[in-house]
Short mmCIF file of all heavy atoms in Angstrom, two decimals:
data_model
loop_
_atom_site.label_atom_id
_atom_site.label_comp_id
_atom_site.label_asym_id
_atom_site.label_seq_id
_atom_site.Cartn_x
_atom_site.Cartn_y
_atom_site.Cartn_z
N PRO A 44 15.10 6.35 0.93
CA PRO A 44 15.99 5.37 0.19
C PRO A 44 15.30 4.00 0.11
O PRO A 44 14.58 3.57 1.03
CB PRO A 44 17.27 5.28 1.03
CG PRO A 44 16.83 5.67 2.41
CD PRO A 44 15.59 6.55 2.30
N SER A 91 1.11 6.32 3.20
CA SER A 91 0.48 7.59 2.93
C SER A 91 -0.88 7.56 3.66
O SER A 91 -1.39 6.50 3.99
CB SER A 91 0.26 7.79 1.46
OG SER A 91 -0.68 6.80 0.97
N GLU A 97 -16.28 14.79 5.52
CA GLU A 97 -17.57 15.50 5.21
C GLU A 97 -17.58 16.76 6.11
O GLU A 97 -17.26 16.77 7.26
CB GLU A 97 -18.73 14.58 5.64
CG GLU A 97 -20.10 15.19 5.33
CD GLU A 97 -21.26 14.35 5.85
OE1 GLU A 97 -21.02 13.39 6.66
OE2 GLU A 97 -22.44 14.68 5.48
N GLU A 118 2.92 0.43 16.38
CA GLU A 118 2.84 -1.05 16.58
C GLU A 118 3.33 -1.77 15.37
O GLU A 118 4.02 -2.85 15.46
CB GLU A 118 1.37 -1.40 16.88
CG GLU A 118 1.13 -2.83 17.33
CD GLU A 118 -0.39 -3.06 17.63
OE1 GLU A 118 -1.14 -2.05 17.92
OE2 GLU A 118 -0.84 -4.20 17.47
N VAL A 160 0.44 -21.91 -4.25
CA VAL A 160 -0.08 -23.18 -3.56
C VAL A 160 0.23 -24.35 -4.45
O VAL A 160 -0.08 -24.36 -5.64
CB VAL A 160 -1.58 -23.05 -3.33
CG1 VAL A 160 -2.07 -24.25 -2.55
CG2 VAL A 160 -1.94 -21.76 -2.57
N GLY A 163 -0.57 -30.97 -2.05
CA GLY A 163 0.12 -31.51 -0.92
C GLY A 163 0.39 -30.46 0.24
O GLY A 163 0.53 -30.81 1.38
N ILE A 167 -2.99 -23.30 6.64
CA ILE A 167 -3.01 -22.84 8.06
C ILE A 167 -3.79 -21.57 8.10
O ILE A 167 -3.69 -20.73 7.24
CB ILE A 167 -1.58 -22.52 8.52
CG1 ILE A 167 -0.82 -23.93 8.64
CG2 ILE A 167 -1.52 -21.82 9.89
CD1 ILE A 167 0.66 -23.73 8.81
N GLY A 223 -15.02 -10.73 2.13
CA GLY A 223 -15.26 -12.06 1.48
C GLY A 223 -14.71 -13.25 2.33
O GLY A 223 -15.02 -14.40 2.09
N SER A 266 -17.45 -16.53 5.24
CA SER A 266 -17.44 -15.35 4.41
C SER A 266 -17.20 -14.04 5.11
O SER A 266 -17.23 -12.97 4.54
CB SER A 266 -18.79 -15.25 3.62
OG SER A 266 -19.11 -16.38 2.97
N GLU A 270 -9.42 -8.80 9.91
CA GLU A 270 -8.42 -7.74 9.66
C GLU A 270 -7.16 -7.94 10.42
O GLU A 270 -6.32 -7.08 10.47
CB GLU A 270 -9.05 -6.38 9.96
CG GLU A 270 -10.15 -5.95 8.98
CD GLU A 270 -9.65 -5.67 7.56
OE1 GLU A 270 -8.47 -5.52 7.36
OE2 GLU A 270 -10.52 -5.60 6.66
N GLY A 307 -6.32 -30.57 -8.77
CA GLY A 307 -7.70 -30.28 -9.13
C GLY A 307 -7.99 -28.85 -9.05
O GLY A 307 -7.12 -28.00 -9.17
N VAL A 310 -12.71 -25.21 -4.09
CA VAL A 310 -12.48 -25.25 -2.62
C VAL A 310 -13.70 -26.10 -2.07
O VAL A 310 -14.83 -25.82 -2.42
CB VAL A 310 -12.52 -23.90 -2.03
CG1 VAL A 310 -12.30 -23.97 -0.47
CG2 VAL A 310 -11.36 -23.01 -2.64
#
Side-chain angles (χ1 to χ4, degrees):
Chain A
S91 63
E97 184 186 11
E118 191 180 332
V160 183
I167 293 170
S266 307
E270 293 290 347
V310 180

